[in-house]
Amino acid sequence: MRKRLTLLVVLMGTILLVLSACSNDSKKDSSSSTKLLTTAQIKDNIGSKTVKTRQNGQKSRTQDYQQIVEEGNYSLDDPYTKVNPYKTSPLSALVIFSTDQDAKVSYTVHGKDSDVDITNSVKGDSSMIHQVPIVGLYADKTNDVTINVTYDDGTTASKDIKLKTGSLPKYVKDAKVTVKNTDKSQMEVGNNKLTLLDRTTKEPFAIDANGDVRWYSTLYSQHTVEELSNGHILLLTKKDVNAPVYNDLIETDYLGRVYKEYSFKNKTKSSDSANDNKATETTVIHHDILELPNHDLLATVSDGSEYKEDVMVQLSHKTGKIVKVIDLKKLLPKSFYKDFKKGSDGKNDWFHQNSLEYNEKEHSLLISGRDQDMIMKIDYRTNKIIWIYSGKKKSSWPKKYQDKILTPTKGTTITGGQHALTLLSEDDNDPDSEDILLYDNNYDVTNGDKKTSGKYSQAVQYHVDTKNMTIDQTWAYGKKLGKKNFTYIIGNAQRLDNGNTLINFGFKDQGKDSNVIEVTQDGKQVFNSTIKNSASKAYVYRAYRMSFYNDDYQFSVIDDDE
């Protein structure tokens, strides 16, 4: 009898253990869908790599130009000229010629008036073979261009040439540009600066101080046109204009030559549209990208889970592979993403990261999260939070975050749905001090200012004191413009070299217009451009005043592989 009882106890215990294990397995299965993805899973979902599809597509054209250079049959009096040399930049040209002694070359594209001439010097050592990359032509015009040569013996020569261009494509032509309040004497223009209009979709293009288009790419881009340290640009595009997803990131130049191409899987694609359906364009890198000091790239992405636009990845510039992942869900309180309502596309856009700014000096990163009405600074080496600015009361944050929350001084505005956070300067004598600039949409998503939300948008400058953990508003422009310049999405602000600020009210009047204004420190408008947005999602995402091209850009038709 005792043996039977013992066996019965053992049997019952075994059954209970099995049931318990099954119960635990069931719990694991039911909770697995809410688990955050691992770094390995995110890397696999993004699937980034370098490819040479576009370089190979340009190979025959590059070889033709190489042969012209090697043969040296063209002179200054009769140079080789090719408008749109790589078939994606119709307002550029390549000029090739030889001289009988070493010389330096510059050129001027003559504008409608001298204030909008574009003048560039060809970078590099003196040479007898000259490859001149020309940018800044007008569309549908025979452009007058002067080539200037300065020989090493001090003598000079010049040649006037004519370069004929075609008409603008529909989505550039229909983006009617009007300009007012222009004061070129106070604008940040220079000899070769244009205002680049980086659109949400369609072709990016650039205008001069008169509002005339002087550069555009035939490649559709989404959100991302970023200049690199070598003078090239990163452009996020797609296989062709009819493709549904932007997952080709190219390093190109203003002539359209492609130097590198990064390809991504479609598993992490997302859309800012209300309905993420098959007819909606989607993207892998969604809002921002930057070049790190070692030339790797840092990009904002989604991870392929139910959450979107809350992950950053560092891409090797050599292989395109991901070498670092920062998942903001692992940095911020769980309640932020657990309690946020999903969109109609089934995705949880709880953070909506729209900005990246890297500080090389201290290896820190400034980021903006639109849907938390929050900006923050983190240590890029450790991923630890340095400070946070948010309209969410300090006392309502979990205790471990409270010493990271900045306290605003009296009169300092709370950001709402903000964009384009940039570092202006640091005081070398005070490592706890820094100045930042951003575009405050002033739209209360979760923690914005409910009293002023929707009444205006503005560019705002702040001074951050991390010793006392305070933030002080030191400059702003836009409030007086009122509701007519309110934009609940997109926009940016750029501090220019002369101290002026270029501000893009990108989604004015519900996206019918984009309004780009250059304003002095005392609030005087010196440039006011309105761009009609005649196509869906063709509004100006960001506007930049840029040199076409900068002093670090050197062009050669010789392949990098040779």
Side-chain angles (χ1 to χ4, degrees):
M1 184 69 179
R2 192 176 294 169
K3 287 182 178 180
R4 288 180 181 177
L5 286 173
T6 302
L7 288 170
L8 184 60
V9 169
V10 171
L11 181 61
M12 290 298 293
T14 302
I15 291 171
L16 287 172
L17 285 171
V18 171
L19 289 173
S20 175
C22 290
S23 175
N24 287 336
D25 286 343
S26 177
K27 288 179 181 178
K28 287 178 182 178
D29 291 342
S30 65
S31 64
S32 61
S33 63
T34 61
K35 279 187 175 181
L36 304 185
L37 299 185
T38 65
T39 296
Q41 288 172 319
I42 294 172
K43 287 181 176 181
D44 183 64
N45 283 347
I46 293 172
S48 57
K49 61 182 179 179
T50 55
V51 296
K52 290 196 172 184
T53 307
R54 294 173 195 263
Q55 290 106 303
N56 291 338
Q58 292 181 345
K59 202 160 194 176
S60 62
R61 191 166 286 111
T62 297
Q63 288 172 345
D64 289 343
Y65 300 146
Q66 287 175 355
Q67 185 174 352
I68 292 169
V69 168
E70 290 166 0
E71 290 175 350
N73 293 331
Y74 292 89
S75 66
L76 177 60
D77 288 333
D78 184 24
Y80 172 84
T81 63
K82 182 67 175 179
V83 173
N84 194 11
Y86 293 97
K87 300 303 180 184
T88 60
S89 182
L91 303 185
S92 71
L94 176 60
V95 175
I96 300 172
F97 63 93
S98 300
T99 51
D100 55 7
Q101 62 173 298
D102 287 340
K104 298 279 287 182
V105 174
S106 66
Y107 71 85
T108 296
V109 178
H110 297 285
K112 291 181 178 178
D113 54 72
S114 60
D115 291 325
V116 291
D117 287 352
I118 292 182
T119 298
N120 275 307
S121 297
V122 178
K123 308 306 182 291
D125 298 330
S126 295
S127 175
M128 295 172 64
I129 305 294
H130 307 285
Q131 306 169 52
V132 187
I134 292 176
V135 296
L137 303 175
Y138 290 92
D140 201 17
K141 181 182 177 182
T142 299
N143 290 261
D144 294 317
V145 179
T146 299
I147 307 294
N148 296 299
V149 175
T150 301
Y151 296 103
D152 283 0
D153 65 5
T155 58
T156 61
S158 65
K159 173 68 176 177
D160 293 327
I161 61 173
K162 306 282 188 180
L163 297 175
K164 179 72 173 71
T165 56
S167 60
L168 295 172
K170 173 180 172 54
Y171 293 120
V172 178
K173 183 185 295 184
D174 288 353
K176 302 294 184 183
V177 179
T178 57
V179 173
K180 65 178 182 179
N181 298 345
T182 300
D183 184 346
K184 295 175 187 174
S185 67
Q186 293 193 54
M187 283 181 67
E188 174 66 28
V189 179
N191 287 332
N192 60 358
K193 287 190 176 179
L194 302 174
T195 303
L196 175 69
L197 304 175
D198 174 12
R199 300 200 281 181
T200 301
T201 60
K202 306 297 188 284
E203 305 98 330
F205 65 98
I207 58 175
D208 63 18
N210 294 331
D212 291 313
V213 177
R214 305 290 293 275
W215 177 87
Y216 71 93
S217 173
T218 60
L219 299 175
Y220 283 19
S221 71
Q222 183 163 71
H223 287 156
T224 301
V225 179
E226 184 76 18
E227 190 170 61
L228 297 172
S229 58
N230 59 8
H232 296 167
I233 54 174
L234 287 174
L235 191 148
L236 181 65
T237 187
K238 48 188 180 177
K239 303 298 182 187
D240 59 69
V241 295
N242 297 313
V245 60
Y246 290 84
N247 64 339
D248 281 12
L249 179 68
I250 62 172
E251 178 183 337
T252 183
D253 62 16
Y254 296 113
L255 268 64
R257 181 172 183 184
V258 176
Y259 299 87
K260 191 169 291 186
E261 183 178 3
Y262 303 83
S263 180
F264 303 85
K265 292 180 182 177
N266 293 347
K267 287 185 178 180
T268 63
K269 65 182 181 181
S270 63
S271 172
D272 290 337
S273 298
N275 297 305
D276 195 1
N277 54 47
K278 290 183 179 179
T280 300
E281 287 184 323
T282 55
T283 186
V284 176
I285 298 172
H286 53 80
H287 278 88
D288 209 358
I289 192 167
L290 60 78
E291 180 186 21
L292 294 166
N294 68 350
H295 306 301
D296 281 0
L297 306 178
L298 183 65
T300 58
V301 297
S302 300
D303 60 13
S305 71
E306 64 183 282
Y307 304 103
K308 71 176 186 177
E309 302 191 4
D310 59 3
V311 170
M312 293 168 276
V313 293
Q314 179 178 337
L315 306 171
S316 166
H317 70 285
K318 296 179 179 178
T319 66
K321 300 294 184 182
I322 297 172
V323 296
K324 181 180 175 72
V325 174
I326 301 177
D327 186 345
L328 291 170
K329 295 184 289 294
K330 297 176 182 178
L331 270 65
L332 291 164
K334 289 183 180 180
S335 60
F336 280 24
Y337 58 89
K338 291 286 187 183
D339 300 339
F340 199 88
K341 186 180 178 181
K342 289 183 180 180
S344 58
D345 62 355
K347 295 285 188 178
N348 186 329
D349 192 15
W350 67 278
F351 193 76
H352 195 98
Q353 184 181 357
N354 57 29
S355 184
L356 286 168
E357 175 85 338
Y358 186 79
N359 183 343
E360 182 176 358
K361 182 179 177 182
E362 59 180 43
H363 307 290
S364 64
L365 191 65
L366 292 171
I367 63 177
S368 164
R370 176 187 183 272
D371 286 357
Q372 292 298 323
D373 303 316
M374 182 179 80
I375 58 175
M376 62 189 292
K377 180 180 180 179
I378 65 174
D379 186 318
Y380 190 68
R381 293 164 296 190
T382 65
N383 297 350
K384 289 184 178 179
I385 296 171
I386 298 172
W387 56 252
I388 295 172
Y389 183 46
S390 163
K392 185 179 176 65
K393 290 183 179 179
K394 184 185 294 189
S395 58
S396 64
W397 284 80
K399 193 171 182 179
K400 72 174 185 177
Y401 293 93
Q402 291 183 10
D403 65 344
K404 307 297 183 187
I405 309 301
L406 297 177
T407 300
T409 60
K410 186 177 180 180
T412 294
T413 55
I414 296 167
T415 62
Q418 71 294 316
H419 287 72
L421 174 60
T422 57
L423 177 68
L424 292 180
S425 66
E426 290 182 300
D427 187 342
D428 292 335
N429 297 320
D430 185 0
D432 300 314
S433 173
E434 59 192 346
D435 294 294
I436 58 177
L437 180 73
L438 58 79
Y439 180 80
D440 180 17
N441 296 78
N442 191 31
Y443 178 68
D444 173 35
V445 185
T446 53
N447 300 297
D449 189 335
K450 291 177 173 56
K451 292 181 180 179
T452 64
S453 177
K455 294 182 178 180
Y456 61 87
S457 298
Q458 61 181 355
V460 189
Q461 181 177 336
Y462 296 106
H463 178 76
V464 177
D465 180 348
T466 50
K467 185 175 182 180
N468 296 303
M469 293 303 288
T470 59
I471 183 168
D472 179 48
Q473 182 175 316
T474 57
W475 182 86
Y477 181 84
K479 186 175 182 178
K480 288 183 178 179
L481 300 178
K483 197 163 186 175
K484 69 181 180 68
N485 270 62
F486 167 71
T487 61
Y488 84 94
I489 59 172
I490 68 176
N492 76 297
Q494 177 192 11
R495 181 59 46 79
L496 304 175
D497 291 341
N498 66 353
N500 291 352
T501 305
L502 190 73
I503 310 168
N504 169 42
F505 299 88
F507 201 75
K508 185 179 173 183
D509 194 14
Q510 295 296 307
K512 293 178 182 177
D513 299 332
S514 293
N515 188 198
V516 179
I517 297 173
E518 181 180 346
V519 63
T520 63
Q521 281 290 301
D522 59 3
K524 178 187 175 184
Q525 289 189 17
V526 296
F527 177 74
N528 185 320
S529 178
T530 296
I531 300 94
K532 290 288 182 184
N533 297 320
S534 58
S536 174
K537 296 186 74 175
Y539 30 77
V540 179
Y541 171 62
R542 289 180 179 173
Y544 299 108
R545 185 65 51 73
M546 296 172 62
S547 295
F548 277 69
Y549 33 80
N550 71 27
D551 290 339
D552 295 314
Y553 173 62
Q554 293 191 40
F555 177 83
S556 174
V557 298
I558 305 302
D559 265 331
D560 292 337
D561 294 338
E562 295 189 359

